[in-house]
């Protein structure tokens, strides 16, 4: 995709100040610019309170700018008439699976968003069927959601969003309450959606391994963008990350340690398979086999 193609989501000069009833105003975002292109996966990382969730809620008009603008697929989130169109295009998945499931059985839950959009019942049924198939939960469609595992619950929530035919999924720490199997289940589901359906993803995560899977990593600190670039670029910024109280994924640290010990490795290794291949190649070269 050309860099000149209009971004799916364009955030410009975004400020958000919370005005709690009691107490001082809280400036949570202080001039954020962000583009999310169609089909792109952007990881949003940063310490607690850096503004990640606040930014996420602006991407589907759950919050409106104190100043600046958020444009989603050409729609300004401040335009009252565009709110449902924005929410249909950008689906949110939150941290606590139980908070987003409300119906008595899975398929009713998946239908809920479409009902809010006012779609005809036959259309809703076909979209629910399709969404359940995509997330692999057809067999559980009559189950009460509270009997499902955490990973399955998040897949139900994803199906409910998918049924609205979004262009982008925003996952706000959607894997952090899950066990490793549930985390893998959710990540595999959303990465497949991106590959097969061309969905853009905004992954808010504390997991640097998850962030390493993105096309681009954006680091928030104190309500501003502190660093951004490809995962390899961002995770190479050891000192900057340390100042932000973050660290590169273990594989990146391991690759750096091996390189420092004299193993000839290419730059930008991010995942275990990449590192394994590079070490194997270095080993074969060392034995004169390659
Ligand atoms: P993150 O998701 O990165 O942890 P948040 O966006 O939740 O950060 O919070 C950013 C800042 O805004 C923090 O200082 C937080 O305390 C404050 N904040 C978040 N939500 C509210 C709210 N509803 N009212 C007042 N302050 C809030
Ligand atoms: Mg948060």
């Amino acid at each position: 995709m050309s860099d000149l193609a209009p971004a799916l989501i364009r955030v410009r000069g975004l400020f958000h100040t919370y005005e709690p009833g009691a107490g001082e105003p809280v400036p949570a975002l202080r001039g954020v610019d962000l583009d999310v292109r169609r089909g792109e996966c952007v990881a949003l990382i940063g310490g607690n309170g850096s503004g990640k969730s606040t930014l996420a809620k602006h991407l589907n008009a759950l919050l409106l700018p104190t100043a600046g603008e958020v444009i989603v697929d050409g729609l300004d989130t401040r335009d009252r008439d565009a709110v449902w169109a924005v929410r249909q295009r950008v689906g949110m998945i939150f941290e606590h699976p139980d908070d987003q499931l409300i119906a008595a059985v899975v398929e009713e839950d998946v239908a809920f968003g479409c009902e809010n959009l006012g779609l005809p019942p036959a259309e809703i049924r076909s979209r629910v069927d399709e969404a359940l198939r995509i997330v692999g939960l057809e067999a559980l469609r009559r189950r009460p959601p509270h009997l499902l595992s955490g990973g399955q619950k998040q897949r139900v929530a994803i199906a409910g969003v998918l049924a609205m035919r979004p262009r982008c999924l925003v996952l706000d720490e959607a894997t952090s309450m899950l066990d490793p199997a549930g985390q893998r289940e959710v990540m595999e589901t959303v990465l497949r959606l991106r590959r097969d359906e061309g969905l853009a993803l905004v992954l808010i995560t504390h997991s640097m391994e998850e962030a390493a899977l993105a096309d681009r990593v954006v680091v928030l600190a104190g309500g501003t963008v502190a660093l951004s670039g490809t995962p390899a670029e961002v995770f190479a910024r050891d000192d900057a990350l340390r100042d932000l109280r973050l660290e590169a994924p273990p594989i990146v640290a391991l690759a750096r340690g091996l390189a420092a010990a004299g193993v000839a490795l290419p730059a930008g290794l991010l995942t275990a398979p990449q590192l394994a291949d590079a070490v194997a190649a270095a080993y074969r070269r060392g034995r004169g086999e390659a």
Side-chain angles (χ1 to χ4, degrees):
M1 167 118 7
S2 149
D3 280 351
L4 297 175
L8 175 62
I9 300 178
R10 199 178 75 210
V11 176
R12 287 293 177 275
L14 178 62
F15 284 75
H16 188 89
T17 302
Y18 289 102
E19 305 272 1
E24 295 291 301
V26 181
L29 296 177
R30 299 182 300 159
V32 170
D33 294 337
L34 173 74
D35 282 339
V36 180
R37 289 187 276 276
R38 288 170 204 281
E40 185 182 29
C41 178
V42 177
L44 194 56
I45 64 176
N48 287 337
S50 59
K52 303 180 299 295
S53 293
T54 303
L55 178 55
K57 288 175 187 155
H58 277 273
L59 304 183
N60 79 341
L62 287 172
L63 291 175
L64 297 178
T66 304
E69 64 177 17
V70 178
I71 307 292
V72 174
D73 208 12
L75 303 163
D76 189 323
T77 60
R78 291 169 302 187
D79 176 357
R80 283 165 171 270
D81 296 332
V83 168
W84 286 105
V86 168
R87 297 215 178 132
Q88 176 265 317
R89 283 168 173 76
V90 180
M92 294 275 287
I93 308 293
F94 295 99
E95 179 174 4
H96 295 281
D98 291 317
D99 293 354
Q100 34 199 342
L101 304 180
I102 41 203
V105 296
V106 163
E107 61 184 2
E108 285 170 18
D109 231 303
V110 175
F112 189 75
C114 285
E115 283 162 2
N116 276 339
L117 293 178
L119 296 171
E123 172 72 14
I124 295 178
R125 267 194 301 279
S126 91
R127 287 189 181 203
V128 168
D129 289 349
E130 182 186 40
L132 284 170
R133 184 174 48 70
I134 292 173
V135 302
L137 288 178
E138 292 150 299
L140 303 182
R141 60 187 304 150
R142 303 294 308 166
R143 290 281 174 86
H146 68 269
L147 295 183
L148 304 181
S149 71
Q152 288 168 335
K153 287 176 184 170
Q154 289 299 54
R155 278 153 67 205
V156 173
I158 291 167
V161 164
L162 280 185
M164 294 196 278
R165 307 258 163 92
R167 315 267 157 88
C168 178
L169 281 188
V170 178
L171 295 106
D172 190 353
E173 301 193 28
T175 60
S176 51
M177 302 298 288
L178 306 179
D179 59 22
Q183 291 175 356
R184 206 164 40 244
E185 189 179 324
V186 169
M187 284 303 295
E188 280 171 3
T189 302
V190 297
L191 291 173
R192 185 162 44 77
L193 286 170
R194 173 177 175 239
R195 195 188 61 222
D196 296 350
E197 322 276 331
L199 269 185
L201 299 175
V202 176
L203 286 180
I204 297 175
T205 182
H206 283 293
S207 158
M208 298 300 138
E209 284 99 329
E210 286 180 8
L213 301 173
D215 300 312
R216 213 144 49 82
V217 178
V218 173
V219 187
L220 281 188
T224 62
V225 174
L227 276 179
S228 79
T230 62
E233 287 164 356
V234 168
F235 291 134
R237 301 283 305 278
D238 218 16
D239 293 344
L241 289 172
R242 197 169 309 121
D243 289 346
L244 296 166
R245 302 170 56 86
L246 298 169
E247 44 185 39
I251 293 297
V252 174
L254 182 55
R256 200 176 289 136
L258 287 166
V263 181
L265 295 175
L269 298 169
L270 292 167
T271 65
Q274 288 170 0
L275 179 59
D277 285 350
V279 170
Y283 177 74
R284 282 194 300 270
R285 277 196 307 275
R287 288 164 55 107
E289 293 171 12

